[in-house]
Amino acid sequence: MTETTTRRQSLWSKAAWKLRRDRFGMLGLAVVAAYFLAAVGVWLGLWATGWGDVAGGKWEAPSAAHWFGTNLIGQDIFQRSIYSISTAFEIGLVVAVLSTLLGAVLGAVAGFFSGRATDELVVWLMGVLDSIPFYLLVAAIAFALEGNPWSMHVAMISTFWITTARLVRGEVIKLKGLEFVEAAHAIGVPEYTIIFRHILPNTFHILLVQSTITFVAAIKSEVILSFLGLGVKDGMSWGLMISESTFEVLAGFFNNFLAASVLMFGLVMAFSIFSDALQDALDPRQVS
Amino acid sequence: MRSLKILTDCRSPLLALLLASLAACGGGEPRAGNTAPGSSAGLKVYRHSMDESPTSLDPVQASNVYANHVLINAYDTLFSYQYLARPYVLKPNLAAGWPDISADTLTYTIRLKPGVHFIDDPCFPDGKGREVVAADVVYSLKRHFDPATRPQGAWLWQGRIVGLDAWKEAGSNYDQEVEGLRALDDHTLQITLVKPYPQLLDTLAQGYSSVVPREAVEHYGREFGIRPVGSGPFKLVSYDTARIVMDRNPDFRQEPVDLAAEGYDPATQGEYGLEQIQGRSPPFIDRLEFQFIADASARWNSFTKGDEAQYTTIPNEQIDRVLSSKHPITLKPEYADKYFYYAGTEAGFIFQTWNLLDPEFGYNEDPERQRRNKALRCAVIKSFDWPARNDSFYGGIGTVFPGIIPPVVPEFDPDLSRDSVTRDVAGARRLLEDNGWTASNLPVLTFGTTANVLNRLMFEQFRAWLKDIGYPPEKVVLKQYATFGDISKAWKQAELPWVVKGWGLDYPDAENTLQLFYGPNSSPGSNDSNWRDAEYDALYEQASVMLPSPERTAIYRRMNERMIEECLSATGLSRTRIHLWHKDVIALPDREIVGGFFLKYVDLKD
């Protein structure tokens, strides 16, 4: 036997190997990477810097100067579409990271202390927040924060953590009965060390998948909220572009609508495919 | 009646029973959507669409065009405007004729038409409407000075009528007489003014001055706002935020139409079939329906569907699709075949004004900074691209004019320099540079607006223009307000440095726009600029007691120039409204000045 075949493969290396073999998953990742590159370019000021400029006439058709044409006031739709990618990533990343972090911590604590007051408090909080209609909650938070540009983020994070927490709680309840946790207890490891150093790392596959799902949900929610006037306050987003298009389509002008819809569809679809592939790759039942 | 025909054709007894039940539930009401307009249930029904609904039908709260449209058809006013005359011309309405005016123009004696009755209503003894008398007019005007009614129109008569303000100060006791507002007998009213008020008769044509019976106000209390009891051509049947239904008042006084007296011009109005109402007494329709449809595309669809709304204005986004020419305005044949149209410049304008109470842009303790602020204001105004604003948001058919005297009033000056509405980027940059303004020391400019996508685009367009003159985009920030009420409150409290708004004339006199910059009208009054200028204020006070004359026009124009000199406002643009109505409707619709007077004269072809 060679050394390679005798070395025990970890869950992560098996998942990575499986993911690389998933052609659709890798295609999704490539598309997401391309979008991300576009977003980084916007953040670095390399392109789409003139998204707010009035660069042409009203509702100009696509041309060499304006690839996707211009909007009602003569702004370049292509630049606005590209700029919106950075908005989508900014919101997706912030919401996905923070809501996953919050869900992981609260879910792990609740799961570890299941049946005790801490668990009941977290479960009660999840139930209460779940019972409030999402858009009503966003409107309430936006009102409470008096138009603060972060109100949309706060609203999303305060609801999106719940699913992650439920999943993590369930997983932790399962894990805390295993031998390695009992061993940690036996040698006197403090409870919070057990939770965060020994149990939580074993839920990373859930967190990874859940964060990609949250990322996509955040992008879609942002578009809907911006369309409704509850989302992006300053800057540009696909939701705002679609909102602009509501009266433009009546005049027979579809460029804003098409540009925003197609780009959003591409990113959401690619991320969903990638997320699916990741879920398959990290599923312990399939990996082993 | 189509619903009955379906019933008789029906083969299934169960279905017939169901349909009969539905028909019974309908209570014989005309149905929109399944019957041709004007022929519902044998009634003549006219369906008028508007973009918003009134919040109250109490005349003391008739502060917008939507309320006025309904009110002046439920109530009577002493005066109104001729149906077809443009520019607008007053005429007696509930008044029997023109008033007797004393030599010093301070005392007006107005006689009311005898035999005019309020509609039958439970508020009256035996439910029978009584005669309208001069005491009702006195009572109706007093209500504007009673804080308990939450009045919005007191400004029309504040400081104008002898003893009225004092009556309010004394506690608004309706049984206490006001020296300058008296009913001499049942049919004679006398108004005594503090000083000459040339616009007094115009104020008596407003929805605010609708004549209400005291019995109804006391009987219905807070519900009076949804239960109008008047003597107008129509009476209310139902009222909600989507629809108001009014039926013809069968007891409305008989006053045959004299088209010549209404300002009819066969050359320009001949095609509308208006001759058919000559010599007949309005109202001609059995039912008047207001449909309130906020979304322009839904309103347009309702109109073009054919059997719903019979009137609309063309939404801006449809202008290029519907018009074959903008100058002059003509419809494409497929629309001209189906609809009548009338294009008119609005009696009002849109403008944006600096709030001088903001030390960053207006008055400042440091005289040098105040001087530089004026240069900054002038530079921003120079950056304003009115043709682009007109093209983007008003279909390119609005009228851009300098100052605040709009084209619709007789005092408009067509020869006034257009420099203040001509974009001059180089000049703006030079002004900033000469006065020490740089990208780093320019103050943050907050652009307040209600939260909707068009207003947001207006902001982005403005920000882009400012970028052209060197104003950093990050220093031009958007502040959105959920409702018009919210931003209106911000204006009243002088919170925003830059006020973007429109003004609709209450009466066809430039005084109504010039008061927007009169010092004593500062916030929370109508003067959002909070400008106080000795020369302007003195000229306003001088002109406010003058009758229309070349001298008064000269004063108005000087005030206009003075306002422009101070760089107070990027102004202005009067929108062109294109009214469309079905060809079976005999009417000349309008929504300017008070709006809605024409509805009394609407008829439908048989």
Side-chain angles (χ1 to χ4, degrees), chain B residues 290-354:
Chain B
F290 294 94
Q291 298 180 350
F292 305 112
I293 310 172
D295 182 70
S297 58
R299 203 164 57 250
W300 178 251
N301 288 338
S302 174
F303 175 76
T304 52
K305 193 165 174 275
D307 56 358
E308 292 184 0
Q310 289 156 278
Y311 160 87
T312 189
T313 49
I314 301 182
N316 283 332
E317 60 271 17
Q318 294 287 353
I319 283 177
D320 291 328
R321 178 172 284 192
V322 176
L323 299 188
S324 60
S325 158
K326 290 183 179 177
H327 306 287
I329 289 172
T330 51
L331 299 189
K332 286 181 178 170
E334 60 267 36
Y335 294 99
D337 288 346
K338 288 193 279 188
Y339 311 124
F340 284 128
Y341 75 99
Y342 166 71
T345 304
E346 73 166 327
F349 65 117
I350 55 137
F351 63 112
Q352 17 272 304
T353 291
W354 291 106

Side-chain angles (χ1 to χ4, degrees), chain B residues 224-529:
Chain B
F224 183 63
I226 56 171
R227 291 177 179 273
V229 179
S231 55
F234 296 95
K235 55 184 183 179
L236 188 81
V237 174
S238 65
Y239 169 27
D240 58 50
T241 53
R243 196 171 73 139
I244 283 179
V245 179
M246 303 179 90
D247 275 354
R248 185 170 64 90
N249 175 5
D251 301 321
F252 189 66
R253 59 185 175 276
Q254 296 290 300
E255 289 179 344
V257 173
D258 176 358
L259 281 177
E262 296 295 339
Y264 178 57
D265 178 6
T268 58
Q269 300 163 341
E271 64 174 311
Y272 306 134
L274 297 165
E275 290 90 348
Q276 293 185 41
I277 65 170
Q278 170 68 27
R280 296 164 56 208
S281 293
F284 307 118
I285 52 174
D286 299 303
R287 180 161 285 189
L288 169 61
E289 279 187 22
F290 294 94
Q291 298 180 350
F292 305 112
I293 310 172
D295 182 70
S297 58
R299 203 164 57 250
W300 178 251
N301 288 338
S302 174
F303 175 76
T304 52
K305 193 165 174 275
D307 56 358
E308 292 184 0
Q310 289 156 278
Y311 160 87
T312 189
T313 49
I314 301 182
N316 283 332
E317 60 271 17
Q318 294 287 353
I319 283 177
D320 291 328
R321 178 172 284 192
V322 176
L323 299 188
S324 60
S325 158
K326 290 183 179 177
H327 306 287
I329 289 172
T330 51
L331 299 189
K332 286 181 178 170
E334 60 267 36
Y335 294 99
D337 288 346
K338 288 193 279 188
Y339 311 124
F340 284 128
Y341 75 99
Y342 166 71
T345 304
E346 73 166 327
F349 65 117
I350 55 137
F351 63 112
Q352 17 272 304
T353 291
W354 291 106
N355 164 22
L356 298 195
L357 289 185
D358 189 320
E360 300 283 11
F361 301 95
Y363 298 130
N364 195 293
E365 288 176 356
D366 175 8
E368 173 59 13
R369 174 62 192 262
Q370 188 165 309
R371 185 192 63 74
R372 290 175 64 224
N373 282 355
K374 182 181 172 185
L376 173 55
R377 295 198 304 269
C378 294
V380 170
I381 290 170
K382 281 178 183 293
S383 78
F384 213 87
D385 189 344
W386 278 107
R389 176 60 52 101
N390 189 9
D391 190 44
S392 300
F393 297 99
Y394 307 107
I397 55 174
T399 304
V400 176
F401 63 93
I404 53 167
I405 299 180
V408 77
V409 293
E411 296 87 1
F412 174 68
D413 182 2
D415 300 322
L416 184 62
S417 164
R418 295 185 65 83
D419 287 352
S420 65
V421 288
T422 304
R423 191 164 203 238
D424 179 8
V425 173
R429 281 182 170 275
R430 202 164 44 247
L431 255 180
L432 292 179
E433 194 181 327
D434 292 349
N435 288 278
W437 290 113
T438 62
S440 58
N441 68 8
L442 280 166
V444 170
L445 173 53
T446 304
F447 185 102
T449 180
T450 48
N452 73 51
V453 68
L454 280 177
N455 286 342
R456 188 190 171 87
L457 282 170
M458 277 191 191
F459 158 72
E460 288 195 23
Q461 191 181 50
F462 179 62
R463 184 171 61 180
W465 294 337
L466 289 185
K467 188 180 174 190
D468 292 343
I469 65 167
Y471 216 117
E474 64 273 14
K475 287 193 169 181
V476 185
V477 299
L478 177 67
K479 183 166 187 182
Q480 291 184 311
Y481 293 83
T483 65
F484 181 79
D486 292 339
I487 194 167
S488 187
K489 191 175 165 190
W491 293 334
K492 299 276 178 219
Q493 294 175 349
E495 288 174 2
L496 291 166
W498 180 251
V499 175
V500 182
K501 71 189 303 188
W503 183 261
L505 270 76
D506 297 286
Y507 39 80
D509 185 327
E511 184 268 349
N512 194 241
T513 59
L514 291 165
Q515 57 89 24
L516 293 171
F517 291 88
Y518 177 52
N521 287 351
S522 295
S523 301
S526 54
N527 177 5
D528 296 310
S529 73

Side-chain angles (χ1 to χ4, degrees), chain A residues 93-112:
Chain A
L93 286 172
V94 169
V95 172
V97 168
L98 293 182
S99 62
T100 304
L101 203 62
L102 191 63
V105 171
L106 290 179
V109 170
F112 190 81

